[in-house]
Amino acid sequence: MRHECMEFADLIAPMSTQEFLETYWSKSPRYFGGEPTRFQDLLPWGRLGQILQENRLDYPRMRLSKKGKDIPQETYLKYETTRRGTRIPQISLSDLNAHLNDGCLLVVDAIDEMSPSIRMLCEKCEFVLGEHIQVNAYAGWKKTQGFSTHWDDHDVIIVQVHGEKAWRIFQPTRDFPMYLDVENPPPPLAQPVWCGTIKAGDVLYIPRGWWHDATPTGKPTLHLTFGITNRTGMDFMAWFCERLRTNPLFRKDLSRFSSCEAQENHLSLLKQAAFNELNILRTRHFFNDYDARAKPRVRPSLPWIVLQSEAKFDGHEIVEWVPPRRLRIDRDDVSLYFHALGKSWEFSLKADAMLDALEKHRRLPVMALFGKGMEVGLENAQVSAFLIELLNNGLINVYDAI
């Protein structure tokens, strides 16, 4: 499948997205088989080599690991200092080759920021799951484990691009372990609950806290890990406490020197006010606010963002919708309203069809939006003015058609 056509639903097919989210998400692991070639265009071996060549990757963004330990970066990275004092990392190819032949695992973090094909799939997954996703790449050639048996503090979706790896999954030994938790989960003593070989085209989902390990089989292997950190009750309470700032009672100093009775009275008022506020809140209020504040990936729309006043669309340009979360639109007789990118927006109801198309397709030629505008009586010049307004406010990017 062409990577630009791939959706989140394709990763877990033939299971529906609804069934996956209701039955497995944050609950239990799940394996999905697939055609061996379906991910090969996401990250060809040659493209990984280009990424290493074209980017000044430093430790720990790029690292080597073997048997659960990172290899000292000075054994494969050299540094040049320019005459202005800038320190530039450079890969020593001979040393890198030696380490890889010795069984080391090559890791590249946040490869979605360096690969348009992975970024595109990543954004589609974010739109469904409602969380920012970071994708790391893991490449191995021998039979040595890169990491020992471990658990992650986030959910992971493993996409096997090339080759194969043998995986084991163990039950959690602590309920919902977290980053910077009050205690660490003990190592698993029971037998794994799932063992299998993940081959090219396969997908494996592992929720937070489930112990796991992976071992290459001696053939070249490359997989991508989509890491997703879901919101927890701790995030809700942090958001709730921020809301309390609007109440002067919570901004008032706690009196260290008042009588015990006065301190208790003050504390009683705080408890009651907090309870009253918490009692009217719902989980959806938190998620709505969280989504409305979600930040997009940085992608400057050049040269259009500088030439807005002179911009003229001929219909062949490509418009990209920027807000990373689903819109929740309210409407009245004349206008529509939504929150995105940390702001509140209001547009004419005539913009409804265009906004719906942009959110649904994410990338559209301007000609398609001209057509949507024509359906509600808007001329191309009026649609162009609307697009310039969206561009000016950071809601879209514009690119020349290639």
Side-chain angles (χ1 to χ4, degrees), residues 118-133:
I118 298 174
R119 173 185 60 79
M120 191 176 298
L121 176 58
C122 190
E123 289 180 334
K124 293 178 179 179
C125 293
E126 290 175 345
F127 194 69
V128 173
L129 299 175
E131 298 287 357
H132 176 77
I133 296 175

Side-chain angles (χ1 to χ4, degrees), residues 214-280:
T215 305
T217 61
K219 304 174 183 178
T221 176
L222 172 62
H223 80 263
L224 301 173
T225 293
F226 288 61
I228 309 103
T229 302
N230 294 313
R231 298 309 93 191
T232 68
M234 298 297 293
D235 295 297
F236 178 88
M237 292 307 296
W239 170 77
F240 168 67
C241 289
E242 283 298 312
R243 288 176 59 93
L244 296 180
R245 292 178 184 273
T246 61
N247 188 333
L249 184 61
F250 291 92
R251 302 198 303 268
K252 181 180 178 181
D253 293 352
L254 290 174
S255 179
R256 183 189 297 269
F257 307 108
S258 298
S259 66
C260 290
E261 181 181 2
Q263 290 179 345
E264 286 301 314
N265 289 337
H266 188 191
L267 182 58
S268 295
L269 292 174
L270 291 174
K271 289 179 179 178
Q272 187 60 51
F275 174 80
N276 292 341
E277 176 69 14
L278 190 59
N279 196 42
I280 64 173

Side-chain angles (χ1 to χ4, degrees), residues 133-339:
I133 296 175
Q134 176 175 308
V135 183
N136 299 342
Y138 300 85
W141 286 263
K142 303 297 181 178
K143 293 185 177 181
T144 309
Q145 277 188 349
F147 303 109
S148 55
T149 307
H150 66 284
W151 60 274
D152 291 315
D153 62 5
H154 51 270
D155 290 24
V156 294
I157 298 174
I158 293 101
V159 173
Q160 189 69 34
V161 181
H162 306 291
E164 60 185 38
K165 278 186 177 178
W167 286 79
R168 300 187 304 167
I169 303 177
F170 303 81
Q171 286 274 6
T173 55
R174 172 175 167 79
D175 290 340
F176 314 114
M178 303 180 69
Y179 176 66
L180 298 179
D181 208 339
V182 294
E183 62 180 79
N184 292 321
L189 299 178
Q191 293 298 308
V193 296
W194 189 89
C195 297
T197 299
I198 305 300
K199 299 182 179 181
D202 293 348
V203 171
L204 181 63
Y205 166 67
I206 305 177
R208 166 169 59 114
W210 288 70
W211 294 81
H212 56 276
D213 56 42
T215 305
T217 61
K219 304 174 183 178
T221 176
L222 172 62
H223 80 263
L224 301 173
T225 293
F226 288 61
I228 309 103
T229 302
N230 294 313
R231 298 309 93 191
T232 68
M234 298 297 293
D235 295 297
F236 178 88
M237 292 307 296
W239 170 77
F240 168 67
C241 289
E242 283 298 312
R243 288 176 59 93
L244 296 180
R245 292 178 184 273
T246 61
N247 188 333
L249 184 61
F250 291 92
R251 302 198 303 268
K252 181 180 178 181
D253 293 352
L254 290 174
S255 179
R256 183 189 297 269
F257 307 108
S258 298
S259 66
C260 290
E261 181 181 2
Q263 290 179 345
E264 286 301 314
N265 289 337
H266 188 191
L267 182 58
S268 295
L269 292 174
L270 291 174
K271 289 179 179 178
Q272 187 60 51
F275 174 80
N276 292 341
E277 176 69 14
L278 190 59
N279 196 42
I280 64 173
L281 291 177
R282 300 292 180 268
T283 306
R284 69 175 184 274
H285 299 148
F286 166 73
F287 281 124
N288 289 348
D289 189 60
Y290 176 70
D291 290 347
R293 298 174 186 272
K295 296 180 180 179
R297 292 168 181 262
V298 176
R299 196 157 51 254
S301 185
L302 299 175
W304 292 87
I305 195 65
V306 183
L307 303 174
Q308 297 167 35
S309 59
E310 307 170 21
K312 294 182 180 179
F313 298 105
D314 61 18
H316 297 94
E317 300 84 1
I318 302 298
V319 174
E320 180 180 59
W321 184 242
V322 169
R325 303 290 182 266
R326 295 183 186 277
L327 297 184
R328 294 172 176 84
I329 299 179
D330 296 316
R331 299 170 179 84
D332 58 25
D333 293 339
V334 294
S335 299
L336 58 84
Y337 312 86
F338 62 89
H339 302 279

Side-chain angles (χ1 to χ4, degrees), residues 8 30 72 102 114 123 128 139 169 220 246 253 341 343 353 380:
F8 174 79
R30 186 62 159 83
D102 192 40
M114 297 177 279
E123 289 180 334
V128 173
I169 303 177
T246 61
D253 293 352
L341 309 183
K343 297 180 181 180
N380 290 354

